[in-house]
Amino acid sequence: MLMTSLWITLAGMGIVFGTILALWGLMAALAGLLADKPGAADSPESAPGSRYGLEKHTPTGSARRSAYSTSEDKAKAAALAVAVALAEQETSTARPLPVPPTALVSAWQLGMRTRQMTQKGERVNRS
Amino acid sequence: MLMTSLWITLAGMGIVFGTILALWGLMAALAGLLADKPGAADSPESAPGSRYGLEKHTPTGSARRSAYSTSEDKAKAAALAVAVALAEQETSTARPLPVPPTALVSAWQLGMRTRQMTQKGERVNRS
Amino acid sequence: MLMTSLWITLAGMGIVFGTILALWGLMAALAGLLADKPGAADSPESAPGSRYGLEKHTPTGSARRSAYSTSEDKAKAAALAVAVALAEQETSTARPLPVPPTALVSAWQLGMRTRQMTQKGERVNRS
Amino acid sequence: MDIFVLLPELLKGFTHFTPGNAVMIGVGAALIYLAIAKEYEPVLLLPIGFGCILANIPLAGMTAAEGMMGVLYKAGISSELFPLLIFIGVGAMIDFSPLLAQPKLVLLGAAGQFGIFGTLILAVLLGFPLNQAASIGVIGAIDGPTSIFVATKLAPELLAPIAVAAYSYMSLIPIIQPPLMKLLTTKKERMIRMEYAPRPISQRTLVVFPIAITVVVGLLVPEATPLISMLMLGNLLKVSGVVDRLNKAAQNEIINIATLFLGLVVGATMTASAFLNWGTGKIMLLGLLAFALDTVAGLLFGKLMAFLSGGKINPLIGAAGISAFPMAGRLAARVAQDEDFENFILMHAMGANTAGQLGSVMAGGILLAIVSHLV
Amino acid sequence: MDIFVLLPELLKGFTHFTPGNAVMIGVGAALIYLAIAKEYEPVLLLPIGFGCILANIPLAGMTAAEGMMGVLYKAGISSELFPLLIFIGVGAMIDFSPLLAQPKLVLLGAAGQFGIFGTLILAVLLGFPLNQAASIGVIGAIDGPTSIFVATKLAPELLAPIAVAAYSYMSLIPIIQPPLMKLLTTKKERMIRMEYAPRPISQRTLVVFPIAITVVVGLLVPEATPLISMLMLGNLLKVSGVVDRLNKAAQNEIINIATLFLGLVVGATMTASAFLNWGTGKIMLLGLLAFALDTVAGLLFGKLMAFLSGGKINPLIGAAGISAFPMAGRLAARVAQDEDFENFILMHAMGANTAGQLGSVMAGGILLAIVSHLV
Amino acid sequence: MDIFVLLPELLKGFTHFTPGNAVMIGVGAALIYLAIAKEYEPVLLLPIGFGCILANIPLAGMTAAEGMMGVLYKAGISSELFPLLIFIGVGAMIDFSPLLAQPKLVLLGAAGQFGIFGTLILAVLLGFPLNQAASIGVIGAIDGPTSIFVATKLAPELLAPIAVAAYSYMSLIPIIQPPLMKLLTTKKERMIRMEYAPRPISQRTLVVFPIAITVVVGLLVPEATPLISMLMLGNLLKVSGVVDRLNKAAQNEIINIATLFLGLVVGATMTASAFLNWGTGKIMLLGLLAFALDTVAGLLFGKLMAFLSGGKINPLIGAAGISAFPMAGRLAARVAQDEDFENFILMHAMGANTAGQLGSVMAGGILLAIVSHLV
Ligand code: NA
Ligand code: NA
Ligand code: NA
């Protein structure tokens, strides 16, 4: 019985890593093959995020990402990341107001969690 | 058969009153045991209604209640009650506009009923 | 087998036309019997469209219709039709924004179709 | 396939159409008229009326077991799912704080249920068997889902007339009650002003209340558990303040869809054979009586409390104990204001009104317990 | 558990993968491409395409009776619930006032159905049995839910290709119709201006209309009752103006959920064995023909009305009688405007278009009646 | 009907009430307390707690097969519909572009699954049969729907404790992970800054990704297809940008209703007999271990990648590979910022986090495949 479970662990983790490696290849291929030709990236159609209006609400918006993914400017990225973080904090505490559906969505998975983090997280860090 | 139904009435109303008495005790206990310590009532968490943003729409909002439940000022209560009544009249007739879900909710149970009251009620009162 | 299908066609189209004729009579009767008495048409209740707030979004709004159905002024009708057409074009491309439900509704049946029309339609017309 | 085969096929709709069908289609149209022109509980009477019309179109097969209405009946009525889902939404719309602020008002929620039992007695006298008489009595709960839930269990064959009575009269409250109020109370009584200095209600209390009610009522009246628990679940979703998306779903998606289908399916049971008989007439009559008896009992008990409290309680709020939330509550406050514009008893009336909602559900469960025990 | 047991277990997905599966996954991807890149009825073609992919992943078991797709198929297709729920939402989006203002336009809704029967004949000639031929013909209803409803009853085995044809060509209307319009009408005809001085339509009329239609069509064509009644119920919810929450539920929750699941489940029937055969090809071809025949018949009947009315009617609106609401209507108005920018026939075209919607549903019901009578 | 018949009838609720019921009602209340006061996954723990209370009210009959909970269990759990519907909504809320921008991060999604298997071994050592041990292990997927989906198939009798553990600990991530992070990583490692110069991701890529994942994972791990495909369907609805109404339905109506009912029904399985035993205690303990093992494995693998990459990768993002989307990702970024406020690894952490979501689903499917093959 123990042997079996060890076998399962070996086989299981093996297959997990195998499958994940396959996905790595897949993603590398996709991101390579389907990348936008230079310049095209600016056209409203192909710019990721520009198609979905919800993006502005969702936790990690490719809209935001693509905003600086093309530039190497670290500081800008940092500033943005902070803005994002703050924005999320607000979202999480904005529940009482009649927020748009997607914000409520975040309120679910991310809202209360982010808040817990602020609370507990700090508690932990203080210790 | 008639006897049976009389028995049912006796037993039924008896049990109803019995159960209701139990609830009376329960509520008295709850309201007593779980009352906010003085001062705490001001904290955003414990102030009833402050937690739900819908309150502003719902028929009899504890938000409004708690607003004057702590004060003895009758006149204030009166003024508020009027405001509430008027507000509800409006809600009930505001249906055609794209109202928020909760207002629609009232529109269901309270909207048309309030309106009927105004109509029929008055008709009755005039007679 | 072929005879049967010819029979079905004959009978089928016959019944379709028969039923449609019945509907014609029905509609003529309805529109006649239930027409508003002159003057009444101005009262907010009986003016079609005034009852539903959604109208402003729906493709062919009787609200708009009734607006000029009573006047013979062609030019006005024309101007309105254009406005309508343009409005619809916008609706169809406004999807990315958080649009009200009904607008989304159009976005479904009419949005992308209208757009296709503009695209393909023009392509065709140019040819 | 020649014309002699085709013709009867063409006219089968008419050849199977009975005068009864015609009458029932008229009834359906009348319900829709009341829903639209008079705005009598439109969200329910409109679908009921439309379902009634569908049930009386011959050979349409929608009410067959595998037809749309048959499928929905099985999914939502036989399973009792629809009334319970509606209760989740209703619970999310009720605010119990006026009641919690003045617990003694809960007694009015008991008195307002007498109509249920009074009507049961009359129904028995009119010759209805006990299970049917009880189902008819529950029209006196003056709470649609409760009536439907109990009728489905005791006498599903009477579902349609009972639902129609329950919802039609619900809309007539502003016509049924005021005369009785004027008749049974003196101007002096109606002008009684009530102190409003309730203890503040903590959010803790608001949250514990629905849970405690579910457990206590569940232990006292197990048969009432499904109804009371779903009502309290909805209320908990609202007062908890941490599950807004569930709260909104309860107040919208869930209650809207359940209401539309419940109405359609209840209406679809209104076939000529099932509906066109003296029984239906008697039920409509008894239903009206149930509403009146509830109001009278509520008012008389209100007068008793007024007397015992030494004129500190306005008997009008007794009429709000019949449930019919939130209309009866607002109506009582209004009638008081008609006597004396300065007299505001809205919060007391709403307290009695929510008590009536609780009382109705419990009375329904109690009746279910006793009768299913006897039948 | 050694490697020799494990290995086949590891590769079973591939060992069971057939070339047919590969092709069908390609088909699914193509449908998703059309949905996203070309915006061909995306709300339906995207779920259909995704469902098609799911159905061709070996051993996933989602299309088994107890798998997700199997459960949804039983719940929504076998029960015919999904197309009917979609019709409630569609009905709430249709405005019949342009038609009520010009009742004679309803005739165009009959002519536009010829494609159904013309295609049936061709399908029979191509060797399809009658039940299948009829189901294929109903692609000519140019109304997704109608096609699916009829196909489910007469030839469920053809559900997928029929649904795919119906919805793909629906999006091609702007490519299919204009050439035929230009071919069959003279510039002079296309430039005919139409008076627009309809009688004003009272709200009373708008409310009675859906009820009357339900009863009359129900009596004339019982088999069409489910479809027409749900379409009219949705319309009644909208025009009544007193049940906004039900109206909104119909236009959103109900239609959205039904559409998503309908698409997934229809797509999940697209297994290689069921889809990859000459029949599918023939059906796609016949479907295209059905659209063309509808348009031709509509235009010719439009020309006839133009002639009989002494040039008072623009034959282009005949092409709007095929249904495909609301696109065909707007397209006809557009083509007229291309000839003469001052020429506005939008309201007439929409009248014919809504007439086509009614005609399609009735024709579907009539075919169902006749064929189930013969098969 | 005399008092001697009535009395036991009156008190039956109490006479059937067991101490076990009392304890379980306390457990339910505790879960509701955690949901409201501590905001631990309230949308799930609140319904679970309420369902638990309902299941322990004697004679209420709600958990009977024909009772409300029984009906919903059959409709949504036995059919596996609820967790899959929830996944459609979750998928519509995930953004995979941070992962697509840095594909190598996907490896962290594999390491973070070790807890599943480590826990399985411990469960076996504690004497659980294999099917139960595996179900307990899947708590380590740290993804509610996956745990419930697998447990339903392998050991439905353990559904309640597994769901409770999965969702309670999910909320404790901010307490469970930081100490382990501090313990296993040096300050220097935590201060590693990561370049963020990803290739831009085209919309084409975002659209093809969910489709490709469905097919590839479906072929590699057929048992994972239902979960992964619904997750990807939701994501496709969002990124396609052409089916906003379906996207919104997935993110609201569908997920809200499924979540409410899933919670209620899971809670309703918490009867005293099924829940009050040592097994439950062990499961809660093992669940906690699963979370810890996942985190440790993730961190160690992160350190390995940091070493191999020559200090270019911050090992903290390894802790985000356990899934628990999106909290674990944000937590890792936060802890890094606590060391050096200028250090922003949010995008890398979210990439690892979404990889963890994929890894969890696949690991769940793989375990299902292996174990159902052995049992
Ligand atoms: Na009552
Ligand atoms: Na057609
Ligand atoms: Na995991």
Side-chain angles (χ1 to χ4, degrees), chain D residues 9 12-13 54 251 253 256, chain E residues 219 223 229 242 245 253 373:
Chain D
E9 177 66 18
K12 66 184 181 208
L54 292 183
Q251 290 192 22
E253 288 88 278
N256 291 349
Chain E
L219 288 175
E223 289 78 4
S229 65
V242 292
R245 55 182 15 246
E253 289 88 278
H373 188 82

Side-chain angles (χ1 to χ4, degrees), chain D residues 109 112-114 116 139-143 294 321-324 356-357 359-361 363:
Chain D
Q113 311 314 321
F114 176 74
I116 295 176
I139 296 174
I142 314 195
D143 178 82
D294 274 335
I322 66 169
S323 81
Q357 178 74 59
S360 299
V361 172

Side-chain angles (χ1 to χ4, degrees), chain C residues 13-95:
Chain C
M13 283 308 285
I15 303 172
V16 170
F17 266 102
T19 324
I20 283 284
L21 281 169
L23 294 197
W24 184 4
L26 174 66
M27 282 187 279
L30 286 184
L33 295 173
L34 303 174
D36 288 320
K37 297 121 212 68
D42 312 329
S43 72
E45 283 70 45
S46 58
S50 72
R51 290 296 291 271
Y52 22 118
L54 310 173
E55 223 29 314
K56 76 181 67 56
H57 304 300
T58 48
T60 63
S62 66
R64 292 195 304 267
R65 230 202 75 274
S66 57
Y68 55 91
S69 62
T70 50
S71 90
E72 306 306 313
D73 184 353
K74 299 275 177 311
K76 200 163 151 210
L80 255 146
V82 177
V84 171
L86 293 177
E88 276 148 1
Q89 302 296 358
E90 281 149 25
T91 319
S92 72
T93 56
R95 216 187 310 83

